[in-house]
Amino acid sequence: DTAYWADVGVDQYGCLMPTAAPIPTPKPTQVPTIAPTGDNGDRIYQAEYAILNGCKVEDDAVDYTGGGYVDMGDTGSYIEWDDVSEHEGPCQLIFRFVVGGKTAPRPCAVTINGAPAGEVSFPKTSTWDNWQTITHDVTCQPGTNVVRLTVSSGKGGPNIDYLKVASLCVSEGEQCIENRDCCSKDCRGNKTCGPMVTSTPTSFPTTSFPTTLSPTVSPTQEMPTTNSPTTLSLPSAQYDAEEEDNARSDVLFRATNDGYTGSGYIDYGGPGSWLQWSEIQGGASGGPCQLTFRYAIGGTKGPRPCTVTVNGVSAGIVDFELTGDWSTWSTAELITACGPGLNKVKVTAQSVHGGPNIDYVYVQSAEGSPTQSPVVVPITDAPTKSP
């Protein structure tokens, strides 16, 4: 869910808007550098990978992030991010920009999901290399939001490096689990804590895993039953993505979209963001194992491939396909080899759009040898809200 803008709306300030269908500016082909997200995990959406009309991508200034920046054009030109997700309620748009020369300020209209959301007046920053930030408070809807910034002055627009989106309030219903210090933080780092609760056991919830695997699914994909052999050394277990012991980078704990199990799920950031389970049980001797990831990808940006490593060794790539909605959960499977004792399973996003939302990984013994290529079988299951 990363690095794009978009918006459709009517300028409430009476400024000129394009009358013909816009022709999007081609996006750069290079993979963007991930901008820092800060302690609060605020999402950054690079301008050069957004939908552009009347703007151009440049890279001749200094100190920009990502693969470049956007030089906005005359009145009516705009930048549109169409994949601003997971923020609900009051949120803050933070634009990184420069305005050199003598023509300043340079006002731009903002729309959210097609509705007017005020105006940002970009002041002069002394030079075209002196990057500054300016904030604008709006209201975001749950799921994917479309944000458009449109030049509304004959002076033209600023150069935009990126858009950062921060939640201004703590989501209701989030609680501390186990040893977490707080439930969440707002964009300014203020902590809000709720009552301590105990996380649910890691037993596999039979009500949430697909029960209609046959006849289209191969025998190796069937869940173990009470009649399964008891000689398998590798124990079957569910490992929640949001567990505190999991290592992570550029991902967020969420409990916004329906259908997750446990206390929430992990929302991946941009390319290179990752989650690592560090205590996957391999039993006394290890052996072939099947990893079943429960995930969701809404919107239109997919599939979202992720590399998987087990104990630092590549186990293949899982192409996480679109599930239709962020509250519609599916599974993708990979057969690999687990070592004896504790295993580390790391999933790293490779797509420019980032990674999926992951609920858990279910690990079980797999007959035969690990496949050289990953076995990826998306299976849609009905969402079930956790108690």
Side-chain angles (χ1 to χ4, degrees):
D1 321 275
T2 307
Y4 294 88
W5 293 349
D7 177 68
V8 178
V10 178
D11 193 328
Q12 65 177 358
Y13 298 94
C15 300
L16 296 176
M17 300 292 287
T19 57
I23 301 176
T25 302
K27 298 179 183 179
T29 56
Q30 66 266 35
V31 176
T33 301
I34 303 173
T37 58
D39 293 337
N40 299 322
D42 302 331
R43 286 294 178 80
I44 290 177
Y45 301 86
Q46 295 291 343
E48 68 272 19
Y49 295 96
I51 297 173
L52 308 178
N53 180 62
C55 308
K56 57 182 178 180
V57 176
E58 301 282 4
D59 62 0
D60 53 354
V62 297
D63 293 334
Y64 61 85
T65 62
Y69 58 90
V70 171
D71 180 358
M72 300 193 74
D74 296 328
T75 303
S77 61
Y78 64 77
I79 306 174
E80 183 173 277
W81 290 269
D82 65 351
D83 200 15
V84 177
S85 61
E86 299 302 332
H87 289 276
E88 177 180 4
C91 58
Q92 187 172 75
L93 308 180
I94 305 170
F95 299 96
R96 189 170 192 257
F97 75 99
V98 289
V99 175
K102 299 179 180 180
T103 55
R106 302 193 178 190
C108 294
V110 177
T111 58
I112 305 292
N113 304 313
E119 185 178 75
V120 178
S121 183
F122 292 92
K124 184 177 179 180
T125 60
S126 72
T127 71
W128 290 105
D129 296 319
N130 184 25
W131 295 93
Q132 306 289 329
T133 58
I134 190 169
T135 63
H136 185 64
D137 295 349
V138 297
T139 300
C140 296
Q141 70 178 15
T144 301
N145 290 266
V146 175
V147 179
R148 179 182 289 184
L149 184 70
T150 304
V151 175
S152 56
S153 168
K155 301 175 183 178
N159 289 354
I160 298 290
D161 185 21
Y162 61 67
L163 165 69
K164 182 190 290 186
V165 183
S167 177
L168 286 177
C169 61
V170 176
S171 300
E172 295 181 359
E174 291 185 324
Q175 295 179 314
C176 302
I177 64 172
E178 295 182 343
N179 296 321
R180 287 183 183 165
D181 293 331
C182 65
C183 314
S184 54
K185 298 179 183 179
D186 63 16
C187 66
R188 295 179 177 86
N190 301 316
K191 297 181 179 180
T192 299
C193 294
M196 297 293 287
V197 297
T198 303
S199 60
T200 57
T202 58
S203 58
F204 185 73
T206 56
T207 55
S208 66
F209 194 85
T211 57
T212 57
L213 296 179
S214 59
T216 58
V217 181
S218 62
T220 58
Q221 295 167 302
E222 295 177 358
M223 296 301 302
T225 66
T226 55
N227 295 323
S228 298
T230 58
T231 57
L232 296 178
S233 61
L234 194 150
S236 299
Q238 173 185 320
Y239 301 87
D240 291 334
E242 72 275 14
E243 286 300 318
E244 183 182 1
D245 292 337
N246 296 341
R248 61 190 71 175
S249 176
D250 192 29
V251 300
L252 297 174
F253 168 80
R254 298 284 191 189
T256 306
N257 300 321
D258 291 338
Y260 60 85
T261 63
S263 60
Y265 54 88
I266 290 298
D267 174 7
Y268 269 69
S273 58
W274 55 267
L275 171 69
Q276 177 176 277
W277 291 267
S278 300
E279 297 184 356
I280 302 295
Q281 294 287 343
S285 58
C289 57
Q290 177 175 292
L291 310 179
T292 301
F293 300 95
R294 189 171 190 262
Y295 74 98
I297 301 178
T300 59
K301 304 298 189 303
R304 303 190 180 189
C306 294
T307 58
V308 179
T309 61
V310 178
N311 302 319
V313 178
S314 176
I317 297 177
V318 175
D319 285 321
F320 290 98
E321 302 286 348
L322 294 174
T323 62
D325 185 82
W326 289 106
S327 296
T328 300
W329 298 86
S330 298
T331 59
E333 302 173 1
L334 174 65
I335 296 178
T336 182
C338 291
L342 297 180
N343 291 261
K344 294 182 178 180
V345 174
K346 184 177 182 180
V347 179
T348 305
Q350 299 297 313
S351 169
V352 68
H353 307 306
N357 290 351
I358 293 188
D359 187 18
Y360 60 69
V361 61
Y362 182 74
V363 182
Q364 67 187 95
S365 179
E367 297 180 3
S369 301
T371 55
Q372 296 297 321
S373 302
V375 176
V376 184
V377 184
I379 307 172
T380 302
D381 62 335
T384 54
K385 179 70 175 182
S386 60

